Amino acid sequence: MVFGSIISSPRGSLSLQQVLSLADIYLEGASKATDPDIAMVLCHDTEVSLTQVKRAAKQTEDKTMRERIATIYIGLGELLDDRGHGVEAKAFYKKSEKWGGSVQKSDQPTNSSRLNSVVQSTGDERNSTGTTPVVRLSALGLSKQSSDIAGMPQHVFPKNVRPLAIEFKPPEPDTRLNDTPQLASCLALLQASPEPEDILDISARDWLQVTIKEQDEQDRLKTLATDVIRAFKRDEFKDSSAVTEVVYLAPVLESDDFRYLLKEFYTGIDQSGLLDIHQLEGLAQLIQGADPGYLDSDDLVKILGLLSVRLRDTHQQSTRNLYQLTLAVSHVLDAMAEANVNGLDRETIHEPLSSYLDELKRSSDSYLVYQAAYAYQALICVPDNETLWQATLRRTGKVIQGVLGLVSAAKALDLNGFIDGLTDIQQGLAGASEAVQLVIATYGSATSLATSGQKFFDSLKEGLSFNRQCAWYVALRGADTLIREGQLADFRKLVCEAPCRRDVAFQWGVCQRLGDIAANPAWDMQTRQSAVSFLGVMYRDDVQWGNQANIKQWILSILIQLSSQPGGEIQFVTFVESLLEELQKDGDAKKQALYRLCRESGPCTLPLKVALPTLGSPSLLDRVQERPDVEGNLRQLRRQRLKEHGSAVYIPPQAKTNLQARDEERFPLMEKVEEFLAGDQKVFLLLGVSGAGKSTFNRQLEYDVWQTYTKKSGIIPLYINLPAIEKPEHDMIAKQLRKIEFTEPQIRELKLHRKFVLICDGYDESQQSHNLYTSNRLNEPGEWSAKMVISCRSEYIGMDYRDRFQPGNRNQRSDTSLLQEAVITPFSMDQVQDYIGQYVSVHRPLWEADEYKKALDLIPGLKELVRNPFLMSLSLEVLPRMVDPVHDLSATHITRVALYDQFIEHWMERGKKRLGEKNLSPQARAAFESLSDEGFKQNGIDYLKRLSVAIYKEQGGQPIVRYSRYKDGNSWKADFFSRDDEVQLLREACPLTRNGNQHRFIHRSLLEYGLALAVFDPEDWKEKFIPDPALSRRGSTSSILSSVVHDPSKEEPATTKQEPDLCSPLAWRIFVNDPSVLQFLEERVRQEPLLKQQLLDYIEQSKIDKKWRTAAANAITILVRAGVQFNGADLQGIQIPKADLSYGMFDSAQLQGADLRHVNLRCAWLQKANLSKAQMTGVQFGELPLLKQESKVARSVYSPDGETIAVVLDIGKIMLYSISTWEQIWTLGDHDGEVFGVAYSPNSSQIASCSQDRTARLWDVETGECRHILHGHYDSVRDIAYSPQGDRVVSASDDKKLKLWDAATGNCLQTFVGHKGLILSVAYSSNGNQIASGSKDKTVRLWSTETGECLQVLGGHTATISKVVYSPQGDAVASASYDGSARLWDVATGECRHILKEHSKTVEFVLYSPKGDQVASSSSDKSVRLWDVDTGICLHALLGHSEAVTNIAYSLQGDVVASTSIDKTARLWDPKTGVCLQTLVGHSESVTSAMFSPKGGQVATSSKDKTVRLWDVGSGISRHVGGYSSSIGKIACSPNGKEVATCSNDSTVQIWDVETGECRRTLRGHSGKVFSVVYSPQGDQIATSSWDHTVRLWSMETGACSHVLSGHGREVFNIAYSPHGDHIASTSNDKTVRLWDVRTGECQLTMEGHTGLVFYVIFSPDGTQIASSSWDNTVRVWDAETGVCSKILTGHHDPIESIVFSPQGDRILSASRDFRARVWEVASGECRHILTGHKDMIYFITYSPTGDQVASASRDMTVKLWDVETGICLQTFNGHSNAVLRIVYSPRGDTIASASFDGSMRLWDIASGECRLVQDFPGSVNGIEWIKTPGVECLAIVCGDGSVWMCEVTQEGGLYRVRLRWSSMNNALTVTDAIIQDVQGLSRLNGQLLIQRGALLL
């Protein structure tokens, strides 16, 4: 009878013992239940029942009760443990221990024995207490480990986050507000009036602090809110946007305004004919967000009455409308429940509404059924006026108490209390008489859902209740509150611990809320993915979350909808799709069938709730503030621009950080621009060569920004074609907006209240020199708010281009940190392939993709051309008409200008065809026929040329022509744009585009091509001098436009001479600054001998008539760029002012009397040129003269004002120079020992120096006098520094002391004692209050300058401190140490902030950047490293020096870092990217220091070579007209002496014409460095070996690779042809020698035996033997036929560098790193002689042509000559200053030429041993070959800088002379032996420079 009494009584009325008995019953039922879901529900109800028992036990401290609770927990743990829930069981065991229980964790009994033991253990208690023992299953939903119990992973909602909030930008006082959310945020802050420190957003805090003191501003904001409400009343439509706007304001309105708005909503709903869903939803949100004091019960009752009537009247609404209605009613009821409304009229409101909701249960729409149930639950929370209320209250009092208490407290939710409240509700329900039956029914329903396969909505209805209060409703209300506040971790806990967790309605609601979170992009990605993962867990885990089919289907429906959201982020959609793929395989066959059903059905039609609708335009607030509507125009502009974008082929470009960066260091450009748009930088400079794709990218960027544009985001993309804007330097944005028809009020509105990203295209085309950011005053107060992306062709910007783009204003220095730049890199081959695929798909050309790819693979040089996107598009269009894929494509040659020729021809032909098919008027048809008869194509091209010339002549090259018929009818424009029939037809046929009255070429390069074509059109010469059959195609007769091969070297020279033409564009405009025009013309020069001759004629004419000087200046500029060399040329009297001769070759040129005014001669080769009487005013060399000193220069220091420079010599002298005159002012020479330190005072008037002589001295800069000698130190004074004010000086000494001196009097003010070792470095803080010192005692000390007290001892270094320096802010100190690290220290605390320890050797120097955000450190490990000050992370390792780095310096702006090294170079680096900008080469000894001029533009370097050099920053970038971009390894001469071949680190081989210097072929195919190149004996083939493990054989006739010899396993170092040319031998790092058949490419022999890499291989003269040398210190001799090793020559102790057979083949010479060479007898293998005498390794050895002598070259800087028979050293040739790398005998054998790493070539007379000639080159001389050509002997030379040189060697009267024949490039100014007698206008400094470089003043 106990059971009956329990289940028939309300749980609240049961005694504690009865509740425990009930728990016991539930536990026993759970243990017997076979269905796991039933067991879990019973456990759940057990927990609910025991709540009051736990409370009572805590209050009474009843020990017996506590023991029983502990026992129950043990039973529950064991039960769950047995069912496989170990984690949950563990939680209950812990709870048992908390209540005093003891758990046995070994020998766990079976389930039945465990339960019996629990029941048995409570039997005694029942006897003693007289009640039924109870076992409580409690912690299922309430323990702290509930997340584990529910199977929820810890990464799902791991923490609470900040709630979603409106982005708040505080307005300025009395300014117009941007939108209503901003107004609402302002009023909310004012109402809350929190303490400032409680507000996280600093801008909001600052705004509030100001505004709370401004009552007028507060009143203005409140008035605006009132006005918005009044405007809402006046609004006729009251659409969703208007409703949204007032809903934003509702929570912050004054009481009167709120009630006014409430009335307006009520009236609108009441009086509307059709139910207004927006107002209904707005009413619900209005009530939900209202201040509780603003609402009373009458209002809410009245509203609900209205809703009840409207619902009854709208039952015929569509299902979707019904859903929205029911949803809105739910919100209203939620608000009423929250407001604790009661006493509803049952008959008129409560009953009809509940009846209507109950009817919806029969709906076939499951979503509507759920929403109806939710609304019904809300209705239950709003009690009616039934008279039996007291009885209901008595029965379910706990339910109502729980509901009202929880809902009313929702805004300040206490999670644990909330869950306890849910338990109260559950208790109230369980207390009803049907409690047990309800549990059973619920389980039965759950079971049926899992097994019966009922339809979704039928299943759902079984799980919902329409007639009783349920805890799930209250739980979901609490969940809403947690989500709204961002308390997602608490939301997770609530869902997992709620007693109703397994309730189908609760799960349905949870899923919907998770879907809303996942769909809302305002949440961060992790949060959204957590929501998706939560759904996945609920779907997968049937044990924890049940197996209700309706919930599973709802989850899948949500996930499918999320995966198909329009505009969804790729990362998120991919995450959802990945989960769906996993769920596809989850569960049994039925579950998988359910998955397939959902997938086939697609996403549900019910949209997931994301956020409030966007505001209208104009919004209510706009109207109140009289703001003009701009959104309509912006939407129209957006549609127009998106439509114009079209579907053109687009390949996302890659970019590099700057012009000096390598193309391999690329990144996706769009990603970088997106980072820029999201960051703080203001200007993004986009550079790229012509045709690189800048405009295409800009249009794509505009498209992408428009795609994501919303009024809320507010960033407006404005594409501005700069050439189309008149004077864009002023009011550029307004001018563009006027063009697209924005009104002046709209423009003002946009200026004051909107943000832009300006996409400015064509900076160079608009011929700008202004800083458009500064001149348009962007982002200044009251001006346009904008970021700028601006593009410019890189060839037009010059060196100091950043000044034209850096943000700043007119009163402040520009800020380099606000400028970001990128340079578009050429297409990679993958991008080329993608472009081809897209092009073929879109345009359907004559060729297929495979044919294009074949052409790219076979046509030489075409791959390089098409890496330019515009040339790519041209190529794909014209290739099918240019070449026949059936012919040998490898013999086809295509150039850039040839592509343009064919493109224009094709365009004109297509235009003619289009016009011929057009329905023309009779007059136009007649004009068309006339043009066609004359040659339509040629007429069209003539039109293009004439128009191009006119644009340059009349508009200075400004590409856009504005034509108005009335204004310009009589101007030059009418010739091209009038309505004349012929003009109109030609215009339509030309590649022009029109926008209104603006005309331009479709691409800027076509304008430049047209002008170049006007200078020289090959077609004009074809018509005059070439037979008609050859006229079928345009272009050069020398260029290849088909598969026919033309060899320019075999062409007959032109016999017809073109007279110079003063009408040529070259005669009336200097084109030096138009590189694209020059590029077209220089290509023509290479193809057209006639053009070359024409340009030479211009130069010749300038000698006699100055009217030709402009043409001559252009002509010689073009020729120099084309690689034409003027060595030995007669240029006397030429007039070429302003020409660009940089990098030109003028060896021995006759330039007497030439007009060279303002000519650019940077890096020109003027050796032996005669410049006598030349006019040289304003000539530019790019360098200043060096300062020669009497001893080594230790360092040089600029004065702070940039007027003087102090040069410190190692002999104790300081030389002072004037910067303006570069003359010596004073010699400060009183020190008796080496000067260790020099410093200028801040005002530049004084110099302090310290010396080995134990003194410091103060010098007067103006007089050079020593003002004070600072005595007091007892050892060398190592360092010295001025205070920031300049009134004090501190010195550091080896005597372990610091001394502080008065700079005016020289008195010692303080002595700082404390260091225990000598002090190497001292520094002043920026405020002058502190001094830092670094010592050999491994510490840094900080000292007070006032007291002399040691403030901090900074310990941590483990070796000597070499340098200390303060940060610019003075809050930190950096130290460098010999322990290989640098450290950053906090001045205030003395703590080490960061240890910078990536150097591998001693750190010599450390330096802060000017802004203090970076630290640079230099080391003897040959590197400089840049570190981030905040994080201590190494940003960049600056690698490139080959020896230790001696010094570093930052430029004044911090945008360049200079480093100096023992390797004799200085380098300039970009600190942002770590890229080397320049290598400054010229010093001949170690470079000791570098310092930037305070005035900018120059850097001074000091060296042990006794010089100081002054460099123009930016002048070290060479122009390549041919040759390599990297070092050349080997050179080989063809047997006939007509060609030389060179190989390089860049994986290419080039073939050069010995006579002309023309690069005939570039052989590409190797994928790594090419080590060796050699000609076959017949000269018809060359072989190359490479790092890529292969040997390649190339045909010299076609340049094609005939064989790839693969087989070696490592790098192939060396190759040699057999004397007959039928075999090749190769050596490799794989320790083998291989013999290959040249004809078949097969490997015939593999010779193994060496134990180290095999470096060198040679054939014997008769070809029967092969010799190889190895790093195993041996030479092996092999039989060439069998591969058998016949001899092993041993004796060397180090690797062997070189071997050679004697001319007779009986001996072998070997040279080794062991400083010795050996002579071996081949027959016996004996060593005949050991050639000793060298003092370092021997690089090369060779026999004389007669075989009686041997010459060797060594790293000891000497060449030695040996007698073969005796082994005696005959001669030692001394003179080189670095290693000698290569030697070669002259053909006669009487002279030796030596090549050295010191950059020189020397000729030695063998008989006398004298050096007869020294020739310097700009880089190390790596290779040299002597060539005998008809009439003269030549030396072919290759240098480390990638250049190739051909020098003629003559001998007259015993004197050798070298005359340069040609060079592939030149990187240094060379004026050795140039005559500069009586030159006019040459500046003193330039004259001094020339004299220093070897020019002669005769």
Side-chain angles (χ1 to χ4, degrees), residues 644-926:
E644 291 173 356
H645 181 266
S647 58
V649 176
Y650 176 72
I651 302 297
Q654 300 280 304
K656 58 184 181 180
T657 52
N658 55 41
L659 291 168
Q660 290 75 29
R662 295 183 302 116
D663 287 348
E664 293 77 15
E665 299 169 347
R666 60 179 66 199
F667 50 80
L669 175 59
M670 189 63 78
E671 290 183 12
K672 189 66 67 174
V673 173
E674 289 172 352
E675 292 175 9
F676 161 78
L677 294 177
D680 297 328
Q681 291 169 310
K682 299 300 182 184
V683 176
F684 191 100
L685 173 60
L686 178 60
L687 299 174
V689 298
S690 179
K694 301 178 295 297
S695 297
T696 302
F697 173 80
N698 285 339
R699 288 189 289 268
Q700 184 66 35
L701 174 62
E702 180 202 23
Y703 176 82
D704 289 351
V705 179
W706 271 129
Q707 284 281 52
T708 59
Y709 171 80
T710 64
K711 183 182 176 184
K712 184 176 181 180
S713 68
I715 305 298
I716 302 168
L718 191 63
Y719 182 89
I720 302 177
N721 183 14
L722 290 174
I725 301 293
E726 187 174 356
K727 295 183 178 179
E729 61 269 24
H730 299 298
D731 214 16
M732 172 178 62
I733 304 176
K735 290 174 181 177
Q736 178 67 21
L737 292 173
R738 291 186 192 108
K739 283 185 61 178
I740 51 182
E741 299 181 349
F742 277 75
T743 65
E744 293 304 316
Q746 289 175 323
I747 292 173
R748 285 194 300 272
E749 171 66 24
L750 291 169
K751 182 175 184 178
L752 295 175
H753 302 291
R754 301 305 294 273
K755 294 181 180 179
F756 287 83
V757 52
L758 307 179
I759 306 171
C760 301
D761 195 34
Y763 178 84
D764 56 289
E765 294 181 42
S766 65
Q767 300 179 335
Q768 278 295 314
S769 59
H770 295 87
N771 185 320
L772 296 182
Y773 184 96
T774 302
S775 64
N776 281 276
R777 305 184 66 183
L778 299 182
N779 298 306
E780 292 186 25
E783 298 296 334
W784 294 94
S785 175
K787 290 194 171 199
M788 177 185 288
V789 176
I790 186 167
S791 64
C792 178
R793 287 188 287 181
S794 52
E795 56 264 48
Y796 283 81
I797 57 175
M799 295 178 185
D800 299 323
Y801 61 89
R802 288 184 177 88
D803 290 340
R804 284 183 275 167
F805 302 100
Q806 285 178 173
N809 60 46
R810 299 176 182 180
N811 301 316
Q812 297 177 357
R813 177 178 292 174
S814 57
D815 189 345
T816 58
S817 66
L818 299 180
L819 171 68
Q820 184 174 354
E821 66 179 287
V823 182
I824 296 182
T825 56
F827 274 167
S828 66
M829 291 315 300
D830 287 339
Q831 289 175 301
V832 169
Q833 301 297 342
D834 290 345
Y835 193 104
I836 292 172
Q838 288 191 35
Y839 180 87
V840 171
S841 175
V842 172
H843 296 286
R844 303 292 181 187
L846 295 176
W847 281 8
E848 296 296 331
D850 290 342
E851 292 175 290
Y852 282 116
K853 294 174 183 176
K854 178 182 177 183
L856 290 180
D857 288 337
L858 297 180
I859 297 176
L862 185 57
K863 279 185 178 180
E864 195 62 32
L865 274 178
V866 300
R867 294 182 67 200
N868 179 285
F870 185 68
L871 293 182
M872 179 76 186
S873 64
L874 295 190
S875 300
L876 298 186
E877 184 161 345
V878 302
L879 270 176
R881 60 185 279 117
M882 290 183 71
V883 298
D884 186 346
V886 176
H887 292 148
D888 182 10
L889 296 180
S890 64
T892 303
H893 181 60
I894 292 178
T895 63
R896 176 175 179 263
V897 72
L899 288 175
Y900 277 81
D901 286 339
Q902 287 300 299
F903 175 77
I904 291 300
E905 179 180 343
H906 180 51
W907 188 283
M908 293 300 177
E909 290 175 352
R910 195 167 54 188
K912 176 185 176 182
K913 180 180 179 182
R914 184 178 66 253
L915 290 171
E917 297 171 350
K918 190 176 180 180
N919 185 20
L920 300 174
S921 68
Q923 295 85 351
R925 177 61 62 183

Side-chain angles (χ1 to χ4, degrees), residues 972-1031:
W972 66 272
K973 299 178 183 179
D975 294 338
F976 304 99
F977 303 105
S978 71
R979 294 189 176 182
D980 178 84
D981 289 327
E982 287 193 359
V983 170
Q984 201 162 348
L985 289 169
L986 292 174
R987 184 173 67 249
E988 288 187 33
C990 258
L992 298 170
T993 182
R994 176 181 176 181
N995 183 8
N997 71 337
Q998 296 181 349
H999 304 264
R1000 68 176 300 167
F1001 284 94
I1002 60 174
H1003 194 270
R1004 166 80 191 204
S1005 61
L1006 292 173
L1007 167 64
E1008 295 153 341
Y1009 165 80
L1011 183 79
L1013 197 63
V1015 172
F1016 184 88
D1017 186 352
E1019 194 73 11
D1020 296 340
W1021 289 92
K1022 283 184 183 180
E1023 293 175 354
K1024 295 179 182 179
F1025 307 111
I1026 301 175
D1028 288 344
L1031 301 178

Side-chain angles (χ1 to χ4, degrees), residues 572-627:
F572 178 72
V573 171
T574 303
F575 183 81
V576 179
E577 285 288 359
S578 176
L579 176 60
L580 282 169
E581 290 177 7
E582 294 176 9
L583 298 184
Q584 182 179 4
K585 305 173 184 178
D586 186 72
D588 56 16
K590 290 183 179 180
K591 197 169 184 180
Q592 294 178 11
L594 178 67
Y595 178 92
R596 290 192 295 273
L597 175 65
C598 291
R599 268 300 204 182
E600 292 167 2
S601 303
C604 64
T605 58
L606 180 67
L608 295 169
K609 182 176 67 176
V610 177
L612 289 172
T614 57
L615 302 182
S617 176
S619 67
L620 299 175
L621 183 61
D622 289 343
R623 298 174 208 172
V624 167
Q625 299 182 109
E626 299 180 351
R627 179 182 294 178

